[in-house]
Amino acid sequence: MEYLDALKIKSTQINNMIEEKLIKDKELIIQNPHSMHNIATGLAIDGKVTIKGSTGFYTGGFLEGASVIVEGNAGWYAGDNMMDGELIITKNAGCNAGTYLYGGTIVIRGSAGSRVGYGMKGGTIIVCGSAGRWAGQMTLGGKLILLGKVGKQLGESMYKGVIYIQDEEAKNNLGGNVFIDKITPTEVDELNTLFKKYDIDAKGENFVAIRPMTTGRHTYVLFNPDLTPEKARKELGKNPKKLEKGVAYE
Amino acid sequence: MSNENLKNFEPKDIQRGIWNQETVSEIEYKARYGKHRIRGCGATRYMPTFDDIMILPSQLSRMSIDTYREPCETRVVLGKRFATKPLVIETPVMIAGMSYGALSKEAKIALAKATALTGTVISNGEGGLLPEERDYSYRQSIQVLPSRFGFSKRNIEAADMLEFLVGIGAKPGLSGHLMGNKISEEIAKLRQLPTGIDLHSHPRHGDAFGADDMVVKMEQLRSLTKGEVPIFIKIAAGRVKEDVKIAVKIGVDGIIIDGAQGGTGAAPVMASNHLGIPTMPALVQAVKALEEMGLKDDVSIIVSGGIKDGADIAKALAIGANAVAIGTGAMVAMGCKVCLKCHNGVCGFGIGTQDPDYRKKLDIDEAAERVANYIRAITNEAVLLAKAAGKSRLKNLEREDLRTLTLEACAMTGIPLVGSDYVFGQRFGFGE
Ligand SMILES: Cc1cc2nc3c(=O)[nH]c(=O)nc-3n(C[C@H](O)[C@H](O)[C@H](O)COP(=O)(O)O)c2cc1C
């Protein structure tokens, strides 16, 4: 077991040091991370790095191979562009966790902020708590597994990939161009295997799948200004003064 | 006169001001489809250009350099602010990032081969990196785009230069557009897209929401590239002064500024014609911003958007750019006729298409040679102008060598109007 006290180390230096330590021993404990940014960037060596405390932005960005455990919270963009390996966050993750994930697995034992899995292309993200709005926006692949409550615009404009949820209210929070589908038996098995591996208390059977709607080339529904004169007429009646008070604009 | 005769005098060839063919066509489109039009090529409206500037020749006040016999250096070093391996190219003409998707594989390979023939750099553009492009290119720039199609750590490892893309002049504030008929099986595979959709790609960098975060992102990219590779940021010209200063704070080695007349494979007409500011004033503001910060010599500027000949290069360099990037020009050299139909993938020249039959029309090696010839020729033209102005190095061209032809250009650039020493507006280094 190797140790690294991060208190007096700069984020520009720490990654080389982590690499050197991992060459000596496959297990490393980092103390006093004091919410440092860019810890374990692009780490491409096998081994296990345990960070005793919370981290800043981009924890494990471009990670490739190692297993990184954050015993605390992780800031925004945890595991961005990750290639392979594991990133486990024992508490909460900020916004945009696992953005552009390419491969590997991210497990967030607490909740995740908005846009978890933005544009992810592969790999797996598991959020044990709730996930903020726009989760899985424009994903191109991979699996996003959300155990708790989900925010608005779930899966907006997914191109490929799948989101598994068990939040019953999610149907009111779906983004555009996605639909709720049954989960297949193979998928249930996959989920259960993952839950077992990461010691997560959940059952694959309870999930439904959110999938992209990619039928036909012009079916993509993008934002369009809503021109609803009938509605406006009703709301405003014949009293244009209302407009001045901004009623029409909410 | 008889009715028959009157007919001959009807004003059928006359256009009433703004109600020209283009306006009518635009309205017809909107009336039919109820949405904005997306099309290829970029802005169609008039914008001020470098053509509004003249270069002062050497006469008695300076000696000229022999156009045909004496040497003149064209090599440039880009991105030497922090990068330990700055980019060295033999001509200050870069091939701008044009995606594999917007362009055919054949066109991409031809452009890459052209860089090898001329010793310059090509940028991969949005659709990932074609292995052939990387293999044939002299130097490879890799774009880091908000969509990250076909992007991974492997791409970063292949880079001689990184471009963190924020926007392009033809559609600043918007994202990549690739219409369904250009998303072939192969394109879909590389980008991880389903076939049969119209693509409106990711608008923002999911791993950098805002400039403060980009400072930290920059540190990450430096760590991944071991500090070797120059990192540029590509911005569309808008609030150039502010944006350049922010980019400098973020910690880039250089800035690519794409003016509003820049080309594109597909963009909403409104975006091309009405968003952003033209290339020439954008460059002026970028240079001013760097001079104000005292970093003009450290941070490189590459400027693009409507660069077509050696005069544009010479003038851009004189104003303060370190290099230019060409998009449309390189396509035209391959045979493109700027027909504005790039978006629909029906390109009889095999350039802006993914159709297997059309693609066969482009002879890769011939196209590569033509692009290389074009780059050689415009480099030569720039050299000709520089030598006539008395410079033995292209980069020695300076603002003092320029005069503006129009009041407009004068006020925009702060360079004196021809026939006077007078500057209308902010004097850009010309006395007080
Ligand atoms: C067909 C085509 C595709 C383009 N694709 C991209 C792209 O993927 N990424 C990008 O940053 N710019 C893209 N651009 C913009 C160019 O990089 C460049 O900014 C522009 O073409 C410069 O203007 P010019 O065409 O007047 O030389 C594209 C331009 C064209 C013409």
Side-chain angles (χ1 to χ4, degrees), chain A residues 11 58 77 80 100 121 217, chain B residues 146 148 196 206-207 213 217 219:
Chain A
S11 57
Y58 304 108
Y77 317 116
D80 76 292
Y100 304 129
K121 297 180 269 194
R217 62 170 287 225
Chain B
R148 307 290 161 92
D207 55 0
D213 298 4
K217 185 80 207 170
E219 189 184 288

Side-chain angles (χ1 to χ4, degrees), chain B residues 29-45:
Chain B
Y29 182 92
K30 282 172 270 200
R32 167 134 195 213
Y33 297 107
K35 61 180 184 185
H36 60 268
R37 182 186 249 174
I38 290 175
R39 61 152 173 73
C41 288
T44 44
R45 67 184 292 169

Side-chain angles (χ1 to χ4, degrees), chain B residues 39-101:
Chain B
R39 61 152 173 73
C41 288
T44 44
R45 67 184 292 169
Y46 161 79
M47 290 190 209
T49 68
F50 290 113
D51 286 340
D52 299 335
I53 293 179
M54 299 295 283
I55 299 168
L56 300 184
S58 61
Q59 290 299 291
L60 292 177
S61 66
R62 292 155 174 68
M63 291 275 283
S64 67
I65 309 291
D66 185 337
T67 314
Y68 299 105
R69 285 156 211 95
E70 285 172 311
C72 175
E73 185 170 309
T74 60
R75 173 179 289 169
V76 275
V77 182
L78 298 170
K80 53 182 186 275
R81 183 183 182 203
F82 296 125
T84 54
K85 286 190 186 163
L87 183 76
V88 184
I89 48 177
E90 302 309 306
T91 162
V93 182
M94 162 186 189
I95 295 188
M98 294 184 275
S99 69
Y100 169 47

Side-chain angles (χ1 to χ4, degrees), chain B residues 226-240:
Chain B
K226 301 189 173 55
E228 290 175 352
V229 178
I231 302 180
F232 279 65
I233 203 159
K234 179 171 177 179
I235 54 173
R239 292 184 181 81
V240 179

Side-chain angles (χ1 to χ4, degrees), chain B residues 96-99 102-103 125-126 143 145 163 165 168 234 258 261-265 304-307 325-329 331 342:
Chain B
M98 294 184 275
S99 69
L103 296 188
E126 182 160 36
Q143 289 196 331
L145 297 113
E163 266 173 67
L165 186 121
I168 70 166
K234 179 171 177 179
D258 199 20
Q261 62 267 63
T264 178
S304 62
I307 302 294
I326 53 166
T328 309
M331 285 169 67
C342 220

